[in-house]
Amino acid sequence: MTRASVPILMYHEVTPNPHPAFRRYSVTVREFARQMRWLAAFGYQPIDMETLASVRLGHGQLPTRPVVITFDDGFQGCVDHAVPVLRAHRFTAVFYLVAGLMGETSRWLLPELGMALPVMGWEAARTLVADGYQCGAHTVTHPRLTGLDASRCRAELVDGRQRLEDELGRPVLHLAYPYGSVDESVQAAAAAAGYLTACSTRPGLSGPDDDPLALRRVSIYGHDSLIDFACRLRNGTAFREHISQALGGVTRRFRKRTVSAQ
C-alpha cells in the first residue's frame, strides 16, 4: 500500500495544566489519552518518518491505516505525560528537538507570548531513542528560517543535525521547520544538509506526491473535540472546518448555476 495518504499529526505540548498563553497548542493529558484510544480502536498503526520515507521510495508497504505522531519542540511535558500513554498502546512517535536548548526552556516563545516551557534534556532524549522512539531535528535555536541569511540558515540546519547525532549516537535524517517557515531556498538548504524528509505546517494529509522536504501535517489543537480529531484524521481538517468548506463549495456551485441561468 504505497499510494495511501497518511495523516502526520502535529502536537506541541501535552500537559494536565495548559498555560493560558499556550492553550491553543497544548492538549490535556485526558484528551491526548482519548485520541490515542481512538486511534487504537479504529485500527490505526503509528509509523515513524523512516518507514514513511522508505515506502515512498518504493521499499516495503504501509499498514492499512498508517499514521505518524509527531511532537515539535521537545517539551518535557510530552516526555512526562504523552510518552506513558504512547507506551500503553505500544505506539511509536517522532520528537523534533531544538538541539541548542536541550535541558533549558523554550525561550523563543518569550517575545510573542511572554512565557516559556521546560524542554527535555539529553538524557531524556537518549531514553526515548533507547525505547524505540525517533528523534528528529528542529534546528539549533528555533528561528524562522526564511528570515535568516543563507549562512545562518545553513548553520541552524547543519549544526542542529550534527549536535543531535553526536548526543544520540545515530543518524538524524528528519527535520521539522520551526513555525513552518520554509521557502525554496530553505528547502534547498535542508536538502544540502542531508535531510531525507522535512515536515512543514501546511495543513492536510500527506499524499504519495507530497514533497518529501515539505510534507503536509495535521495540526492537533487544544480546543479540538474528539469529533474534530476524527475528522482531521480522515480529511486533514476539523469537523467545523470541513463543514464550512463543504457549505462554501455548495454555495459557489449554486451561485455559478444561478449566473449561468440568467
Side-chain angles (χ1 to χ4, degrees):
M1 184 178 179
T2 61
R3 302 297 298 172
S5 291
V6 179
I8 303 176
L9 307 184
M10 178 174 61
Y11 290 92
H12 289 84
E13 174 71 317
V14 177
T15 175
N17 300 301
H19 191 291
F22 205 61
R23 185 66 183 92
R24 174 176 170 81
Y25 302 102
S26 297
V27 175
T28 65
V29 182
R30 178 174 177 272
E31 287 303 313
F32 183 73
R34 292 179 69 197
Q35 291 167 3
M36 296 303 102
R37 285 197 299 271
W38 181 280
L39 292 180
F42 286 89
Y44 282 91
Q45 294 177 258
I47 60 174
D48 61 18
M49 295 306 300
E50 197 70 28
T51 301
L52 180 62
S54 180
V55 172
R56 292 272 168 90
L57 290 172
H59 309 297
Q61 291 188 326
L62 292 173
T64 303
R65 285 193 170 183
V67 63
V68 184
I69 303 170
T70 70
F71 298 88
D72 283 12
D73 305 330
F75 291 127
Q76 181 64 38
C78 294
V79 176
D80 295 339
H81 305 294
V83 170
V85 177
L86 294 169
R87 283 182 182 143
H89 292 287
R90 298 182 179 179
F91 284 174
T92 193
V94 184
F95 294 82
Y96 291 108
L97 307 180
V98 183
L101 297 175
M102 299 293 286
E104 300 183 28
T105 64
S106 58
R107 58 174 179 254
W108 65 85
L109 294 175
L110 287 170
E112 296 180 12
L113 299 181
M115 48 77 70
L117 298 171
V119 173
M120 75 173 79
W122 288 113
E123 193 56 41
R126 283 189 280 269
T127 298
L128 288 176
V129 170
D131 287 347
Y133 298 100
Q134 188 173 64
C135 289
H138 205 40
T139 71
V140 179
T141 64
H142 202 284
R144 285 181 168 83
L145 292 171
T146 56
L148 304 182
D149 61 45
S151 62
R152 190 180 165 202
C153 178
R154 181 170 57 252
E156 286 281 346
L157 294 170
V158 173
D159 295 352
R161 179 187 175 194
Q162 187 62 59
R163 181 73 183 275
L164 287 170
E165 290 184 339
D166 290 346
E167 294 286 351
L168 301 179
R170 61 188 58 207
V172 173
L173 301 174
H174 307 285
L175 168 74
Y177 302 108
Y179 305 104
S181 177
V182 59
D183 57 18
E184 288 185 2
S185 63
V186 171
Q187 202 170 316
Y195 291 103
L196 188 61
T197 72
C199 285
S200 72
T201 57
R202 291 188 306 134
L205 305 181
S206 176
D209 298 324
D210 217 0
D211 189 321
L213 290 174
L215 295 170
R216 295 178 184 272
R217 280 196 290 180
V218 178
S219 295
I220 306 299
Y221 295 111
H223 57 254
D224 282 348
S225 67
L226 194 58
I227 293 176
D228 287 330
F229 178 77
C231 195
R232 288 189 191 281
L233 280 171
R234 296 295 299 273
N235 307 299
T237 58
F239 178 72
R240 58 191 176 279
E241 296 164 351
H242 182 63
I243 293 300
S244 177
Q245 291 173 4
L247 290 175
V250 170
T251 300
R252 286 190 295 273
R253 288 194 295 273
F254 176 76
R255 288 175 177 170
K256 185 177 181 179
R257 289 175 181 175
T258 300
V259 171
S260 299
Q262 291 177 348

